[in-house]
Amino acid sequence: MIILITGASHTGKTLLAQRLLARYHYPYLSIDWLKMGLIRSGNTQLTPTDDDALEEYLWKIVREMVKTAIENRQNLIVEGCYIPLNWREDFSEPYLQDIRFCCLVMSERYITAHFDSIRQHANDIEQRIDDDCTPDGLLQDNARYYAQCQKFGCNFVYIDDCYPQDFDLGGNLP
């Protein structure tokens, strides 16, 4: 089983991956680790702020890692904002049967009411060195993810009233 988790920055992708790791004991890969390894090692000229180019570059690698894990009947959780929302197009049906996907999306109401809390929890799992989180940035990013989830028919968790303590992924997980 492969679990793909995406969403805008600060939505809790890494937190969800940690919770699933604890529950299912599946290893997980943060795409940010791969990104920074490739950047710091000089294997790409891209920078951490080249989001669109990074998605295209990293997804090609992650996609093939996912296929390899499925072929080897291994479980894996992959989380990061570099999973394109049209990800299904890159897999044939036999692969799709072993992939579960979730996008975390915060509503405008949630971001507006809880921005300070979102910032407080930014370092719950990882220590962010340069955190340029702003209300406008969160609103724009989450609106884009919401629209893309609608466009591509992606499964998503809509965080509107309060942040879920246990994620209901709609029976998408074992």
Side-chain angles (χ1 to χ4, degrees):
M1 174 75 57
I2 306 298
I3 302 168
L4 302 176
I5 304 166
T6 196
S9 181
H10 293 78
T11 54
K13 298 177 298 293
T14 307
L15 174 65
L16 177 55
Q18 289 278 327
R19 288 180 179 175
L20 293 172
L21 167 68
R23 183 182 302 164
Y24 297 109
H25 306 285
Y26 292 1
Y28 93 85
L29 169 69
S30 168
I31 301 175
D32 279 342
W33 300 340
L34 178 60
K35 169 186 80 176
M36 293 312 297
L38 290 165
I39 290 171
R40 288 180 172 169
S41 67
N43 283 294
T44 181
Q45 297 303 308
L46 296 172
T47 70
T49 60
D50 295 327
D51 286 333
D52 291 338
L54 280 165
E55 179 178 294
E56 182 180 344
Y57 179 72
L58 294 168
W59 179 243
K60 291 176 186 176
I61 298 166
V62 171
R63 174 189 70 211
E64 299 310 315
M65 292 170 71
V66 166
K67 289 177 182 177
T68 301
I70 292 170
E71 290 161 0
N72 289 313
R73 302 201 185 292
Q74 294 173 310
N75 300 313
L76 181 63
I77 300 164
V78 178
E79 65 89 8
C81 62
Y82 303 107
I83 300 171
L85 293 177
N86 64 342
W87 65 273
R88 291 174 126 325
E89 297 172 6
D90 291 329
F91 298 96
S92 62
E93 188 56 39
Y95 289 106
L96 290 171
Q97 293 174 10
D98 290 316
I99 300 173
R100 301 299 175 263
F101 173 87
C102 179
C103 182
L104 302 180
V105 179
M106 292 178 174
S107 71
E108 180 178 345
R109 179 173 78 140
Y110 183 83
I111 293 167
T112 303
H114 300 281
F115 180 74
D116 290 338
S117 178
I118 293 167
R119 286 292 310 257
Q120 282 181 322
H121 289 283
N123 292 320
D124 281 357
I125 304 296
E126 58 192 359
Q127 300 304 304
R128 297 169 188 263
I129 296 171
D130 295 319
D131 190 8
D132 59 353
C133 179
T134 65
D136 286 342
L138 278 180
L139 290 167
Q140 289 173 4
D141 288 348
N142 280 275
R144 182 174 55 83
Y145 273 93
Y146 181 77
Q148 291 294 302
C149 283
Q150 296 293 318
K151 177 180 178 179
F152 292 108
C154 295
N155 183 39
F156 64 95
V157 172
Y158 194 62
I159 303 163
D160 185 41
D161 187 32
C162 63
Y163 199 86
Q165 294 306 305
D166 188 28
F167 290 84
D168 176 10
L169 302 179
N172 260 348
L173 299 177

